[in-house]
Amino acid sequence: MIPSFGENYRFQWEDLGDIELGRPNLGLQLPVVVYRLAQYTLREAIAQRYGDDVAADILREAGWIAGREFCLNILDRDQPLTAFIAQLQTQFRDLGIGVLRVERADPERLNFLLTVSEDLDCSGLPIAGTTVCDYDEGFIAGLLYAYTGGQSFSAKEIDCWATGDRTCRFDVKLEQPVAA
Amino acid sequence: MNEADLRYLKAAAERIDKLLVARAAAPLPPNEGLSPELRPFSERFARLLEAMDALRQFSIALANGNLTQDPPSGVHLIGPLKHLQSSLRHLTWQTQQVAAGNLDQQVDFLGEFSVAFNQMIAALREKNAAEEKARYLSIHDSLTGLYNRTYFNEQIDQLCEAHHYPISLMIADLDGLKTINDTKGHLVGDLLIKKAAQILQYGVRPADIVARIGGDEFVIILYGADQDAAKVAMTQIRTMMEAHNQRDRDFPISLSLGTSTAFSQDALEKTLRQADEAMYQDKIQRKGQARHTGSRLR
C-alpha cells in the first residue's frame, strides 16, 4: 500500500523532538500500557466519528508514515536484504517493538511471511476474533517502501493475538513497481 | 437422562479414551434425541473433538519435521504449536542464510538453543576471520602491504584462462638497495622499499595489481593496457618518483622500469621476460646517466 498522499505529508522525524533534552530525569522509555492507551483511545475516537474501517485505514496510513520514517532515519538502507532484516530484528528487539522473525522470504519476488511475537500493539489483548494490527501492517509496508526506494507493498495480518494466536503473522507482498 | 443421552455419553467416553492414548477420535454422529440439558455440552464437545483432531494432525506433522503444513485458523488450542512452528520456520530461514555465508544471524528468546546457536555463529565468525587473515597473509607482502609473488602467480594463471587482452606487465627494480642496506642499515632499506611501494601503488590504477616479488623487485599487471597505456603508466610512476625525490632529498628513490605487452595468453611468459629485459636496459641507462651527473642514486 502507498497512501493516497504518498510522501506528501508534513511529519518530519525532527517533530519527535529532542527527548533526551526534554526528559532528563524520566528518560526515553515508558510502559507499554501508556502506548496502548494512546493508540486504542485514538482508534476509538476515530471509529466513533468515522467507523471501524476508516479508523483501521487511518492507523494503517499512520503506520506507513512511521515505517517509512523509521527506515529513513534509523536503519541502514544500503545493506543487502538479509543484513537489512537482521538489522530490523535487532532494532525491533532493542526498542521493544516485538520479536520479528522470518518464516518465508522470496528475495526475487519480494514476498515474505513475517511474524512478530510479543507485539507492542496486541500481545496480551482480549481475543476479539479479528486482527487489530493495522498500524503494524502500514509500518511494514512503509519500511519496505523506503528500503526498496519506492516500491509498493501490501502487508496483511493473517494471525493476531486478538484472533487467539500467540504470534502475529503478516503476509507481505510486492504490489507493483512504482512508475519511473 | 434418556436413552439417547446414555448412548451419547458412552460414545463420548470412547472418544476421550482414544484421545488419551493419542489416537484419532472421529466426530460423534448427530444426536437428535439428546435431552435439552445435554445439548449445550454436546455442541462444545463436538468443537473440542474438532480442535483436538486439528491439534493431533498438526503436532504429528511438526514432530515429523514437516514445517510446510499451514495450521488451521481459529483453533486456539494449537496456538503454542503454531508459535513453535513459526520459530522453527524462522530458524530454517536463518540456517539457510548462514549456509549462504551470512553470519549476521542471531537467535533470541529460545532459551538454551539461542545460546548454542549464537555460540555457533560466533565460532563461525572467528573461523572466517582467521581464514581471511591467513588468506591475507598468504598473498600479501608483510613489509609493504602489496601483493606477493604467490598472488602474482595466481593472477598470471587466471590471466591464462581469461581473455582480457592486451595486458601489459611492468617490472620495477629498486636501485641501490643492497648498498643502502650495507651502508645505512636495513631499517633505512626497508623504508625505501615501502616508499617505492607507495609510488608504484599510487602511480597505477586501483584495479591494477602491484606485487613485490623479491627483495627489491616489483611487478605490476596493467589490465587492458596496450604499449601506449603502459608507457603512460611508466611516465606517471617516474613523475611521482621525481616529485617524491624533490620532497625527500635525504632518501631519494630510484626505480628502474620496464614494460612489455601481451596480446594473447601464449605470450605472457615471453612478455614477463621482455619486461625484465627492458627494466635492465633502463637500469643500465640510468646508471650511465648517474655517472655523468654524479647522482647518488646508484
Side-chain angles (χ1 to χ4, degrees):
Chain A
M1 63 160 283
I2 299 176
S4 57
F5 49 77
E7 299 174 16
N8 297 320
Y9 49 80
R10 288 170 295 176
F11 173 83
Q12 295 179 339
W13 193 256
E14 291 70 29
D15 294 342
L16 298 175
D18 186 338
I19 301 171
E20 282 186 51
L21 175 69
R23 289 169 58 96
N25 297 304
L26 295 179
L28 303 176
Q29 313 298 329
L30 90 172
V32 175
V33 68
V34 182
Y35 167 81
R36 287 195 183 171
L37 187 64
Q39 178 172 145
Y40 286 98
T41 51
L42 182 66
R43 175 193 285 268
E44 174 64 12
I46 299 169
Q48 285 287 343
R49 191 171 295 191
Y50 301 108
D52 288 339
D53 289 346
V54 174
D57 280 346
I58 288 175
L59 281 167
R60 205 172 286 114
E61 289 188 339
W64 189 90
I65 296 172
R68 177 171 181 265
E69 291 291 329
F70 187 84
C71 187
L72 294 177
N73 291 282
I74 301 288
L75 301 174
D76 178 2
R77 287 173 289 145
D78 294 330
Q79 303 221 21
L81 184 63
T82 51
F84 178 77
I85 291 172
Q87 178 194 191
L88 193 58
Q89 286 174 308
T90 303
Q91 287 291 342
F92 266 46
R93 183 195 62 206
D94 292 351
L95 293 172
I97 296 171
V99 181
L100 175 68
R101 292 190 170 124
V102 180
E103 284 198 14
R104 277 199 296 268
D106 182 342
E108 301 296 320
R109 294 179 181 175
L110 292 176
N111 290 348
F112 309 92
L113 196 61
L114 306 178
T115 63
V116 182
S117 302
E118 303 190 33
D119 186 85
L120 176 62
D121 282 6
C122 76
S123 292
L125 286 185
I127 294 175
T130 55
T131 60
V132 297
C133 298
D134 309 302
Y135 187 86
D136 285 1
E137 288 180 349
F139 194 89
I140 293 167
L143 266 176
L144 291 172
Y145 173 88
Y147 175 67
T148 58
Q151 306 225 57
S152 180
F153 286 83
S154 70
K156 178 68 187 158
E157 191 182 29
I158 52 178
D159 285 331
C160 179
W161 190 288
T163 61
D165 290 287
R166 307 279 301 179
T167 297
C168 293
R169 185 175 273 104
F170 297 90
D171 189 11
V172 184
K173 291 191 170 102
L174 179 66
E175 277 187 330
Q176 61 192 30
V178 130
Chain B
M1 195 169 283
N2 61 31
E3 282 296 316
D5 290 350
L6 292 172
R7 276 199 308 277
Y8 174 82
L9 286 173
K10 188 181 173 206
E14 286 171 4
R15 300 300 191 276
I16 291 170
D17 286 342
K18 284 188 175 178
L19 289 174
L20 287 173
V21 293
R23 290 175 60 195
L28 284 166
N31 252 318
E32 304 265 328
L34 283 184
S35 61
E37 292 80 8
L38 201 55
R39 273 188 205 139
F41 172 81
S42 73
E43 286 164 11
R44 284 165 179 76
F45 190 67
R47 280 163 50 203
L48 179 64
L49 279 181
E50 199 178 325
M52 291 302 289
D53 185 54
L55 174 67
R56 185 174 172 278
Q57 288 187 33
F58 190 61
S59 58
I60 288 171
L62 210 51
N64 289 338
N66 177 5
L67 301 181
T68 58
Q69 182 168 325
D70 285 324
S73 58
V75 183
H76 301 161
L77 206 57
I78 62 172
L81 287 183
K82 274 178 79 173
H83 198 177
L84 177 63
Q85 187 201 44
S86 169
S87 295
L88 290 174
R89 281 176 167 179
H90 178 60
L91 289 171
T92 305
W93 179 80
Q94 285 191 299
T95 309
Q96 287 166 346
Q97 304 315 305
V98 173
N102 176 355
L103 299 182
D104 291 328
Q105 301 303 318
Q106 176 168 322
V107 173
D108 296 312
F109 312 122
L110 280 178
E112 285 184 30
F113 183 85
S114 297
V115 176
F117 186 95
N118 295 338
Q119 280 174 344
M120 179 188 75
I121 293 292
L124 285 172
R125 279 202 200 108
E126 281 176 21
K127 183 169 172 285
N128 268 14
E131 283 175 356
E132 278 174 22
K133 189 176 178 187
R135 168 69 180 156
Y136 181 89
L137 291 174
S138 74
I139 61 170
H140 283 84
D141 169 48
S142 60
L143 178 65
T144 60
L146 295 179
Y147 290 113
N148 60 16
R149 180 182 285 275
T150 303
Y151 188 76
F152 170 71
N153 288 340
E154 281 179 16
Q155 292 303 303
I156 288 293
D157 288 344
Q158 285 176 18
L159 285 178
C160 289
E161 293 161 10
H163 301 283
H164 306 295
Y165 294 87
I167 288 167
S168 290
L169 299 177
M170 185 189 298
I171 300 284
D173 194 89
L174 181 59
D175 300 328
L177 180 64
K178 184 175 184 311
T179 308
I180 293 287
N181 279 336
D182 291 346
T183 58
K184 296 185 186 297
H186 281 275
L187 282 178
V188 175
D190 286 352
L191 182 69
L192 286 183
I193 291 170
K194 285 198 262 189
K195 287 185 173 182
Q198 282 179 355
I199 288 169
L200 293 172
Q201 185 84 73
Y202 293 132
V204 295
R205 299 162 303 181
D208 295 329
I209 297 293
V210 184
R212 182 179 175 218
I213 57 171
D216 54 2
E217 201 173 4
F218 304 84
V219 62
I220 304 173
I221 304 173
L222 299 159
Y223 292 105
D226 59 12
Q227 295 101 319
D228 291 341
K231 276 182 192 166
V232 169
M234 202 150 63
T235 305
Q236 172 77 6
I237 289 170
R238 284 190 173 130
T239 304
M240 291 188 70
M241 187 166 66
E242 283 163 18
H244 168 271
N245 291 345
Q246 288 292 323
R247 287 194 307 272
D248 189 347
R249 292 176 186 275
D250 291 333
F251 298 109
I253 301 289
S254 172
L255 284 164
S256 297
L257 304 171
T259 67
S260 185
T261 302
F263 291 90
S264 72
Q265 67 179 64
D266 302 335
L268 269 176
E269 202 172 316
K270 186 178 168 191
T271 301
L272 188 60
R273 208 167 48 244
Q274 285 174 338
D276 208 33
E277 285 165 7
M279 182 276 292
Y280 274 109
Q281 289 301 317
D282 185 47
K283 190 179 280 284
I284 290 165
Q285 194 179 349
R286 290 165 69 77
K287 275 190 178 172
Q289 281 176 357
R291 275 194 207 98
H292 286 304
T293 58
S295 166
R296 15 190 317 197
L297 301 178
R298 272 178 280 175

